[in-house]
Amino acid sequence: MGVRTFLSQQRTRLANNRHILRSVAALFGGNITTSFLGAIGGLLVARYLGPEVTGRFRVYTIPLMYLTFLHLGTFDGLWRQIPYYTGKEMPEKVASVASAAGAWNALVSGLVSAAFLVCALLALARGDTYGVAGWLSQLVCCWSVFYGGYLGATYRTIHQFVSLARIQLVQALINFALVFLIPLFGFFGLCLRAAVPALTGVALYHRNRPLKVRHRLDWRELGEVVRVGLPFSFWGSLYTSVWAATESALMLSLGGLTGLGLFAVSAVMRDGMIVLPHSVYQVLTPRVIEAYAREGSVRSANARSALLTVGLTGVMVAIVLICSYLLGLLVPLAIPKYVAGIPLMRACLWFSVLEAASLPFNTLFATGRPWLYGRGVILGLVVFPLSAWLLKPLLGGMLAVALGSLFGRLARTLEAYGEILLLTRREAA
């Protein structure tokens, strides 16, 4: 009987793993296609426009990066609470927290878009056509950031992740098609290319949303989501949107519009490289949280990602080395205006390796203890500017900022591994 039970468990585990692998493959297939289209589109933009024009457009994106915190952690709260309550078999609780979070993000979207509308009207009064178009594009994009971000956080099952990837593929196709307007419209084409896919994505997310709940601003339920998500969001926002905005601001300060334009292309390459590790992380995180909710074991949660992390990190190192070599051959041929940015591009490729190495961090998220996550972010934020300052005399401002950011993320990664190790030892004691 024991042998039959063991074999049955192994067959079930193998079937589950195959299901996960098929879903990851489908998700990765959609995401890699999206990434490929984005990369080709980015190269075409770089071929049509010089770094000064792309840098001018990126200036208008910086404020929205800093404003992302206004979601108050509802994304992070839903990321944890939806799979957590699913693991606890409490579907009515899932619906109530999603309803409150949706109402809040719709409200914030409206308020932020109104602020950008005021900026556009002021630019119109000055006769600044670039400002009008730039702020109006961000008016649309803020709905994608807040309300679209909320909707994306409700896609939590493997099947839903595949649906999410399909919507992102539609956005990528539209984004790619709009590239061909850029030779005609220049800066204004960039604004259209940002706004139209963002608006389409929000519409598709809403139409296909997995939780068709009526949004109601229930302060008690919202308070629960914020209470869980805000601490994680605080550190997460520092590590993502605020960190990225600071990179752009420093690039603008040290390299002007041209430097910011060179960094914009490098950032597109960086985003493309993290598609695979991000796809795996998306599928893995809800399963880790549900397992932790059922078993309460850090060791068990770690076991779900350990081998996958080692293999994926090794694959990403190989990919980065190959791409780094190819950049020196292809950039002078494809986008000669950006040859000066090759060292910056090569530095940005390595962010994908750290992204792959970060798969086990979903264990820290599952525990619901944000300080364990936050200590690594603080260390990274100290190492980032310090490294940039020390490297600037040797490498110049722009490359120093890129490598400083990379070293900051490395420091955060090492510290987080230390936190996981301590949790595992305490559990075993």
Side-chain angles (χ1 to χ4, degrees):
M1 181 65 178
V3 174
R4 284 198 298 270
T5 301
F6 174 78
L7 291 175
S8 176
Q9 290 174 345
Q10 295 307 307
R11 282 195 297 269
T12 302
R13 181 175 299 177
L14 181 59
N16 288 337
N17 288 339
R18 286 175 178 170
H19 183 53
I20 293 173
L21 288 175
R22 283 196 300 268
S23 299
V24 170
L27 182 61
F28 176 64
N31 284 350
I32 198 63
T33 304
T34 299
S35 177
F36 177 76
L37 291 173
I40 298 300
L43 289 175
L44 289 173
V45 170
R47 192 167 183 86
Y48 295 144
L49 301 177
E52 183 176 349
V53 179
T54 55
R56 182 189 297 276
F57 172 73
R58 196 169 180 88
V59 167
Y60 294 99
T61 69
I62 293 175
L64 186 53
M65 293 182 196
Y66 281 115
L67 289 173
T68 303
F69 77 93
L70 290 176
H71 67 76
L72 296 185
T74 51
F75 302 166
D76 304 77
L78 291 177
W79 258 65
R80 184 181 187 274
Q81 297 303 84
I82 288 178
Y84 185 83
Y85 284 128
T86 299
K88 293 288 187 181
E89 298 183 355
M90 299 171 64
E92 71 288 343
K93 192 66 174 176
V94 171
S96 62
V97 296
S99 173
W104 173 257
N105 282 285
L107 175 63
V108 171
S109 298
L111 293 175
V112 174
S113 62
F116 284 135
L117 179 60
V118 170
C119 291
L121 292 174
L122 292 174
L124 180 63
R126 296 192 305 269
D128 179 7
T129 53
Y130 289 121
V132 173
W135 292 124
L136 287 179
S137 72
Q138 297 309 294
L139 182 154
V140 176
C141 289
C142 78
W143 281 89
S144 177
V145 169
F146 294 110
Y147 189 64
Y150 150 73
L151 291 172
T154 64
Y155 287 71
R156 294 290 85 205
T157 68
I158 291 176
H159 175 71
Q160 291 164 2
F161 283 136
V162 176
S163 298
L164 191 66
R166 289 172 181 159
I167 295 173
Q168 291 167 348
L169 179 58
V170 171
Q171 288 181 280
L173 290 169
I174 296 172
N175 187 283
F176 182 76
L178 291 173
V179 168
F180 300 100
L181 294 179
I182 288 176
L184 298 175
F185 298 107
F187 174 88
F188 304 102
L190 289 177
C191 295
L192 284 172
R193 189 168 179 255
V196 174
L199 185 61
T200 303
V202 172
L204 292 174
Y205 286 152
H206 182 79
R207 190 186 70 179
N208 298 285
R209 62 196 186 280
L211 298 175
K212 299 185 184 298
V213 296
R214 183 177 181 180
H215 298 319
R216 186 170 67 90
L217 197 56
D218 185 321
W219 294 104
R220 185 177 63 83
E221 296 292 352
L222 179 64
E224 177 184 332
V225 179
V226 171
R227 190 165 53 252
V228 172
L230 185 57
F232 284 108
S233 174
F234 175 75
W235 304 115
S237 293
L238 286 180
Y239 190 64
T240 55
S241 57
V242 173
W243 193 305
T246 303
E247 286 176 333
S248 294
L250 288 174
M251 291 290 179
L252 178 63
S253 174
L254 296 173
L257 291 177
T258 299
L260 186 57
L262 293 174
F263 175 67
V265 174
S266 302
V268 168
M269 294 183 180
R270 176 174 68 181
D271 294 343
M273 289 291 292
I274 67 173
V275 166
L276 175 56
H278 184 65
S279 299
V280 176
Y281 189 88
Q282 275 187 302
V283 173
L284 191 62
T285 298
R287 297 180 65 83
V288 170
I289 295 173
E290 288 182 27
Y292 184 82
R294 288 192 298 267
E295 303 169 18
S297 171
V298 172
R299 185 181 295 274
S300 176
N302 287 338
R304 294 176 178 269
S305 56
L307 291 177
L308 190 58
T309 301
V310 173
L312 185 59
T313 302
V315 168
M316 294 312 302
V317 168
I319 292 174
V320 166
L321 291 174
I322 294 170
C323 290
S324 184
Y325 172 75
L326 291 176
L327 282 175
L329 300 177
L330 299 179
V331 170
L333 298 174
I335 47 174
K337 296 176 183 178
Y338 291 79
V339 168
I342 291 177
L344 201 59
M345 298 172 192
R346 285 174 170 158
C348 286
L349 294 179
W350 288 97
F351 283 78
S352 62
V353 176
L354 293 180
E355 190 76 13
S358 300
L359 290 183
F361 298 173
N362 49 33
T363 300
L364 298 178
F365 189 66
T367 64
R369 297 160 64 185
W371 181 240
L372 299 179
Y373 183 91
R375 282 192 286 239
V377 175
I378 291 177
L379 179 61
L381 284 172
V382 172
V383 172
F384 173 12
L386 180 60
S387 299
W389 179 71
L390 292 173
L391 291 171
K392 182 184 175 183
L394 300 174
L395 303 173
M398 292 185 297
L399 188 56
V401 172
L403 289 177
S405 179
L406 183 65
F407 292 156
R409 289 176 184 262
L410 175 62
R412 177 259 180 178
T413 300
L414 295 175
E415 200 284 335
Y417 271 106
E419 297 287 357
I420 293 172
L421 182 61
L422 285 175
L423 286 175
T424 304
R425 287 180 174 176
R426 288 171 187 166
E427 185 176 87

